[in-house]
């Protein structure tokens, strides 16, 4: 088997917390605390979790917009986690990013055409007439009118701006697009347009996506595999059908139960988690989830469960789910 | 402008809104944020108002509460009756006595609606002291009780906390406690869980529904999330471009949506259903092509016509009447028969 | 509601419309234009501001001497007209020097955080010294000349500009579009010039008008204290300073340059306020 397109191993990103005068480091925010996963070419891996679970930090660290505290990020077999900015630049072409906020992710002072052509100019991939042609075909491809190149971002609607962001990411023909909540700021009808576009582009260009989202319905729709994160760690990683059909981690189960389903005939007893997510500055010992887990045992409070492959291609970090074990309902 | 047929006032309506219009006068003309909306809220029911950003759902709520400042160049018309009291003609002083007492409102972002320099206990107590004239001590005790009612652990200690010391979910619980402190007949909740995580959203929605049962408060829940609608409401109103386009009991609305916009909305959400679970084959989502119309120009005919696949020539000419098509099921569409017959 | 209002972009309007919406800019710049015209055509409308005329000392304003004469018989009108030149030169030069230097330092500080730690401490130090004292000290150390005055006034203005630019840079550099630029291979120079610099222009233009107005005032103040422009140059401050002794018998010597000073500063501030409101409503909060 050849190397995966992206291999993330033991990735950690801690943010020091400064306080006082002169400022001293008084603690760390353990935003990402040991995360590993692979993405194959043409595959969509979704990172799902609640705010503060570190999913966006993973995305930014993979993109090297943040420097990792520990761990490696290998793109096509090359470790980019420690590279200097000059060396890194050559590898940036392979991965691009699409952001959540269609407003702040486009420079308001640049025309749409300038925004989309910038990556091409930066990497000296095209100039003059060829540049214009490539920008025009990108506009067409993402469903924008070609004569919109002269417009400025504020003249577009939210969905159109997101298409611009996608065109910018697509410009340098990357093999991986990191999409950080790309449809969360959009209305549902527009959200559908953008999701369809992302799926079409994936099929056409064989793109791989690292798709970060908090919306389970979107994740189920677009993901091939799904990683569920809680407080900086992956608690479950499985194929789409496995995760949505037979989630094994209690947190995944709770997350699935909590998401409202747009079908009144499916009103069901939900498993409602009690309490709040603990602070990532002082995550609880052992399994991070034990403070809210209805099935927690003594062992969960002291010992960190490793992420294990309990079924083929189904990884879970839970003491109550033994490798190859029978996976019945957990009991309190 | 075509006037809507007067909807018969439901006998047990606590809140009835008739032909509500809120226009904002800007330098470039009037923005018709709410353009003739009527509905009733029955005692103790949950009514959802659903729609996408800019459809006027929040402005409707603020207009009912009379919370839109006068100096922004707004013009308002229509009638809002709360148990027989006409709210639109009250003086600001009279309105203050009703707001937070007989009708209250919670917002999407609890942090900005709470006063950062007062303890949460003091903020709940304040409402009780103003409206129910409770003495300080009694108001505080009642505030602690309210915190216990919204299931905040250790309420006596939490009452002395400031908003920033609480998590987002707890702040929304505090907002609910403040809103319900005086036992209002109607609680308007404007996207109360949009800023919260799903597990916390589930907690808050459960809490709201449970308290509604206990206090028999009617809830008007404004949301963009059809999942929330399906799981909480008895009836729902769909708004588009400042107008009500459909109203129906929730089960009926999802089973048999009659307005093409409602239908498009329901079909464009990626759905998680046990039966139709996709494995590795990903279907395309149904899109609603085009974008929301500008509210700056007077919309002739049906506002949805330019995006509608059922539209005929009449739609862009004549504003469709909001007619009943099934018991309690209103839809504003000329082509209802064709829409209903079409395969979803 | 917010979505409705931001989604609709104000339509392009006629220039007449623009004038109606920005009355302060129009009034301010009309007055400023007059001042510039006066400064340009000074030799044709005014006599020699330096020639003594012992026979016509301390004359009241009259047909012959519109603004009267001072204790040496010099025509106050001519001195005030030539003073306009000095004031405008000082105001504009200080604004340009302080803005350009402040912009360079501010952008670099906002972008390179390590540089920031050092430079901002220096700026804090500069800001702690009262501007007028610093200027007096500099002028006493060197031989008084217009150039020295301009430099002395510029230095204490720089930290204010730096702080403004730096705060804009800091608020912009965390935005996703900067991250997008990094991800799409933009080098630091491109990020600074293409993505960060444009955001600083609007607040900087506004700030530079305030710098200009305050420079004119400080120059007048320094001259009044006798520590500014050399006394042989007829700046408004110098005229006022010399007229001070005769205030009770010949108030016109002080009144006319004082009036011009007030009008000039008012006009510049009007333009500044107008620009602030029309360029970007968000700036109002930032400043």
């Amino acid at each position: 088997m050849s190397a995966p397109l992206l291999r993330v191993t033991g990735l950690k990103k801690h943010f020091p917390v400064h306080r006082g005068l002169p400022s001293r480091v008084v603690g760390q925010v353990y935003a990402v605390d040991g995360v590993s996963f692979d993405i194959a070419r043409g595959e969509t891996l979704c990172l799902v979790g609640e705010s503060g679970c570190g999913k966006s930090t993973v995305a930014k660290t993979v993109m090297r917009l943040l420097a990792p505290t520990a761990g490696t990020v290998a793109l096509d077999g090359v470790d980019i986690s420690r590279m200097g900015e000059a060396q890194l630049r050559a590898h940036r072409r392979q991965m691009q990013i699409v952001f959540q906020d269609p407003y702040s992710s486009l420079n308001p002072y640049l025309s749409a055409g300038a925004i989309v052509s910038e990556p091409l100019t930066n990497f000296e991939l095209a100039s003059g007439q060829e540049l214009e042609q490539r920008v025009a075909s990108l506009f067409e491809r993402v469903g924008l009118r070609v004569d919109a190149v002269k417009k400025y971002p504020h003249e577009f609607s939210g969905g159109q701006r997101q298409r611009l962001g996608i065109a910018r990411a697509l410009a340098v023909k990357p093999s991986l697009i990191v999409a950080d909540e790309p449809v969360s700021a959009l209305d549902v009808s527009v959200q559908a347009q953008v999701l369809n576009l992302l799926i079409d582009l994936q099929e056409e260009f064989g793109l791989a996506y690292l798709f970060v989202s908090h919306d389970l319905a979107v994740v189920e729709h677009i993901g091939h595999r799904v990683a569920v994160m809680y407080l900086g760690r992956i608690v479950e990683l499985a194929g789409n059908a496995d995760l949505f059909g037979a989630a094994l981690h209690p947190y995944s189960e709770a997350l699935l139960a909590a998401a409202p389903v747009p079908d009144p005939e499916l009103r069901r007893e939900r498993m409602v988690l009690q309490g709040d997510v603990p602070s990532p500055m002082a995550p609880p010992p052992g399994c991070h989830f034990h403070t809210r887990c209805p099935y927690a045992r003594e062992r969960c409070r002291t010992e960190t469960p490793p992420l294990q492959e309990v079924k083929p291609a189904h990884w879970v970090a839970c003491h109550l789910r033994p490798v190859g074990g029978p996976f019945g309902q957990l009991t309190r | 402008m075509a006037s809507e047929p007067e909807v018969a006032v439901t006998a047990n309506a606590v809140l009835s809104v008739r032909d509500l219009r809120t226009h904002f006068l800007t330098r470039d003309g009037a923005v018709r944020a709410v353009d003739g909306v009527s509905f009733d809220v029955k005692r103790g029911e949950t009514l959802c108002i659903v729609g996408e950003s800019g459809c006027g759902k929040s402005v409707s709520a603020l207009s009912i509460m009379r919370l839109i400042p006068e100096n922004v160049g707004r013009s308002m018309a229509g009638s809002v009756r709360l148990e027989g009291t006409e709210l639109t003609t009250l003086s600001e002083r009279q309105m203050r006595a009703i707001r937070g007492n007989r009708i209250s409102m919670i917002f999407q972002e609890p942090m900005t609606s709470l006063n950062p320099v007062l303890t949460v206990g003091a903020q709940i107590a304040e409402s009780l002291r103003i409206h129910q004239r409770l003495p300080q001590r009694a108001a505080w005790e009642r505030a602690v009780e309210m915190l216990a009612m919204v299931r905040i652990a250790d309420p006596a200690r939490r009452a002395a906390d400031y908003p920033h010391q609480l998590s987002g979910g707890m702040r929304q619980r505090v907002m609910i406690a403040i809103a319900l402190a005086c036992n209002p007949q109607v609680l308007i909740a404007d996207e109360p869980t949009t800023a919260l995580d799903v597990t916390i959203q589930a907690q808050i929605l459960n809490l709201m529904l449970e308290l509604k049962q206990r206090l028999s408060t009617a809830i008007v829940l404004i949301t963009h999330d059809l999942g929330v609608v399906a799981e909480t409401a008895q009836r729902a109103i769909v708004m588009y471009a400042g107008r009500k386009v459909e109203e129906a009991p929730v089960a009926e609305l999802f089973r048999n949506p009659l307005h093409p916009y409602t239908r498009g909305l329901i079909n464009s959400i990626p759905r998680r259903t046990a039966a139709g679970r996709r494995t590795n084959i990903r279907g395309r989502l149904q899109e609603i092509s085009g974008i929301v119309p500008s509210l700056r120009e007077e919309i002739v005919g049906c506002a949805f016509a330019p995006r509608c696949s059922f539209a005929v020539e009449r739609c862009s000419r004549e504003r469709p009447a909001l007619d009943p098509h099934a018991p309690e099921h209103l839809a504003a569409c000329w082509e209802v028969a064709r829409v209903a017959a079409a395969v979803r | 509601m917010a979505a409705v209002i931001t989604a609709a972009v104000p339509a392009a309007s006629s220039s007449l419309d623009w004038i109606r919406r920005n009355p302060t800019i129009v009034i301010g710049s009309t007055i400023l234009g007059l001042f510039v015209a006066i400064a340009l055509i000074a030799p044709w409308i005014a006599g020699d501001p330096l020639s003594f005329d012992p026979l016509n000392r301390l004359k009241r304003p009259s047909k012959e001497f519109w603004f009267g004469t001072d204790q040496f018989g010099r025509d106050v009108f001519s001195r005030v007209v030539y003073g306009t030149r000095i004031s405008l030169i000082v105001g504009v030069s200080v604004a340009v020097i302080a803005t350009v230097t402040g912009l360079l330092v501010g952008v670099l500080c906002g972008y390179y955080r390590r540089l920031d730690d050092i430079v901002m401490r220096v700026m804090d130090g500069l800001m702690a010294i009262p501007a007028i004292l610093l200027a007096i000290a500099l002028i006493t150390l060197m031989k008084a000349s217009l150039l020295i005055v301009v430099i002395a006034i510029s230095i204490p203005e720089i930290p204010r500009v730096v702080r403004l630019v730096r705060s804009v840079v800091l608020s912009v550099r965390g935005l996703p579009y900067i991250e997008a630029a990094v991800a799409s291979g933009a080098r630091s120079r491109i990020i600074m010039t293409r993505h960060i610099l444009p955001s600083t222009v609007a607040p900087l233009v506004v700030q530079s008008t305030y710098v200009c107005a305050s420079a004119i005032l400080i120059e007048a103040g320094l001259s009044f204290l006798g520590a500014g422009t050399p006394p042989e140059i007829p700046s408004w401050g110098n005229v006022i300073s010399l007229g001070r002794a005769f205030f009770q018998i010949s108030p016109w010597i002080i009144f006319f340059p004082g009036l011009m000073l007030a009008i000039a500063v008012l006009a510049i501030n009007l333009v500044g306020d107008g620009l602030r409101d029309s360029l970007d409503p968000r700036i109002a909060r930032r400043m």
Side-chain angles (χ1 to χ4, degrees), chain B residues 150-199:
Chain B
V150 295
R151 300 250 185 71
I152 285 184
D154 200 357
R157 228 189 56 214
R158 284 299 188 184
D161 276 353
Y162 290 91
H164 72 267
Q165 293 170 293
L166 305 178
S167 70
M170 290 214 274
R171 287 198 283 259
Q172 199 57 288
R173 286 169 192 269
V174 170
M175 283 305 298
I176 293 173
I178 294 174
L180 295 181
C182 300
N183 212 344
Q185 281 110 17
V186 179
L187 170 68
I188 299 181
D190 186 1
E191 304 266 11
T193 58
T194 306
L196 304 176
D197 282 316
V198 270
T199 59

Side-chain angles (χ1 to χ4, degrees), chain A residues 4-6 38-45 75 94-96 174-179 198 201-203 205-211 224:
Chain A
L5 175 63
L6 180 76
D38 287 351
I39 299 181
R41 274 173 203 288
E43 181 193 40
T44 303
L45 176 76
L75 190 63
Q94 277 197 67
M95 48 177 192
Q96 289 294 305
S175 34
L176 172 71
I177 288 187
V178 174
L198 287 173
L201 292 174
Q202 177 165 55
E203 276 156 20
F205 300 109
L207 289 170
Y209 290 134
L210 174 60
F211 192 99
H224 295 119

Side-chain angles (χ1 to χ4, degrees), chain B residues 24 27-28 31 53-54 59 295-296, chain C residues 1 3-5 8 10-11 21:
Chain B
F24 294 98
R27 286 193 294 232
D28 309 306
V31 174
S53 44
V59 178
L295 301 174
R296 277 163 198 281
Chain C
M1 181 187 112
V4 179
I5 286 162
R21 279 184 203 178

Side-chain angles (χ1 to χ4, degrees), chain B residues 38-316:
Chain B
S38 306
F39 60 87
D40 283 322
V41 185
K42 293 179 218 159
R43 189 171 307 282
E45 80 166 338
T46 307
L47 172 74
C48 272
I49 302 183
V50 63
E52 298 180 289
S53 44
C55 74
K57 53 191 194 297
S58 292
V59 178
S60 301
L62 293 170
S63 308
I64 292 168
M65 294 295 290
R66 300 234 331 238
L67 282 174
I68 295 177
E70 300 197 16
N71 56 11
V72 298
R74 57 126 170 91
S75 86
M76 283 171 58
S79 142
V80 177
R81 295 182 84 83
L82 178 68
E83 286 206 311
T85 315
E86 175 64 53
L87 299 186
T88 51
T89 52
L90 292 183
S91 73
E92 184 49 40
R93 219 175 122 239
Q94 292 168 311
M95 191 61 210
R96 269 202 298 272
I98 286 180
R99 213 185 279 136
N101 186 18
R102 290 173 57 194
I103 181 166
S104 31
M105 185 161 176
I106 56 178
F107 299 90
Q108 175 175 340
E109 196 24 86
M111 194 60 201
T112 53
S113 338
L114 288 169
N115 185 337
V117 297
L118 286 181
T119 63
V120 294
Q123 297 187 53
I124 304 172
E126 188 186 2
S127 168
L128 291 160
R129 277 173 41 215
I130 294 169
H131 295 299
Q132 306 199 335
R133 305 192 188 284
L134 288 186
Q136 190 137 5
R137 188 69 182 276
W140 183 268
E141 277 161 15
R142 180 93 179 99
V144 175
E145 277 171 37
M146 291 303 297
L147 286 177
M149 190 180 80
V150 295
R151 300 250 185 71
I152 285 184
D154 200 357
R157 228 189 56 214
R158 284 299 188 184
D161 276 353
Y162 290 91
H164 72 267
Q165 293 170 293
L166 305 178
S167 70
M170 290 214 274
R171 287 198 283 259
Q172 199 57 288
R173 286 169 192 269
V174 170
M175 283 305 298
I176 293 173
I178 294 174
L180 295 181
C182 300
N183 212 344
Q185 281 110 17
V186 179
L187 170 68
I188 299 181
D190 186 1
E191 304 266 11
T193 58
T194 306
L196 304 176
D197 282 316
V198 270
T199 59
I200 310 296
Q201 164 171 293
Q203 295 172 2
I204 298 291
L205 290 178
N206 274 8
L207 176 72
M208 280 175 58
L209 295 183
E210 189 198 306
L211 293 178
K212 185 201 79 169
Q213 292 286 337
R214 220 160 99 190
L215 307 171
S216 69
T217 305
I219 295 180
V220 178
L221 183 65
I222 293 169
T223 180
H224 68 283
D225 186 338
L226 286 165
V228 170
V229 177
E231 298 213 343
T232 57
Q234 276 94 53
R235 284 192 309 132
I237 286 173
V238 182
M239 282 187 71
Y240 185 75
R243 300 170 180 179
K244 177 168 97 172
V245 295
E246 187 159 4
E247 172 177 339
V250 166
E252 164 83 3
L253 187 80
F254 280 88
R255 201 183 317 118
N256 186 26
L258 288 180
H259 196 285
Y261 175 64
T262 315
R263 193 165 277 230
L265 267 189
I266 292 174
N267 289 348
S268 63
I269 10 170
R271 29 181 70 217
R272 304 200 34 240
T273 50
R277 174 156 296 128
R278 279 164 293 268
T279 48
N280 281 324
I281 314 132
R282 296 174 298 176
R284 286 181 65 85
L285 294 167
Q286 189 183 313
E287 306 173 0
I288 304 178
S289 61
I291 54 167
V292 187
S294 161
L295 301 174
R296 277 163 198 281
E297 284 107 51
E298 166 110 52
I299 296 167
V300 183
C302 173
F304 189 62
R307 302 174 75 185
C308 179
S309 56
F310 293 94
V312 293
E313 187 265 338
R314 184 187 189 188
C315 300
S316 49

Side-chain angles (χ1 to χ4, degrees), chain A residues 229-286:
Chain A
M229 283 188 73
Y230 188 76
L231 274 181
R233 295 179 185 162
I234 293 181
V235 296
E236 184 159 7
L237 174 61
N240 190 319
D242 279 342
L243 190 93
F244 287 97
L248 293 178
H249 196 281
Y251 177 65
S252 315
E253 191 192 331
L255 209 54
L256 291 173
V261 175
D263 189 343
E265 273 141 55
L266 270 178
R267 281 193 203 206
R268 68 235 133 95
E269 255 327 285
R270 323 191 188 144
M271 164 186 173
V272 174
L273 283 183
Q274 299 304 311
D276 285 310
V277 182
S279 158
M281 259 186 86

Side-chain angles (χ1 to χ4, degrees), chain C residues 27-44:
Chain C
I27 297 170
S29 44
T30 311
I31 300 172
L32 268 186
L34 268 168
F35 274 85
V36 172
I38 291 172
L40 286 177
I41 59 167
W44 291 277

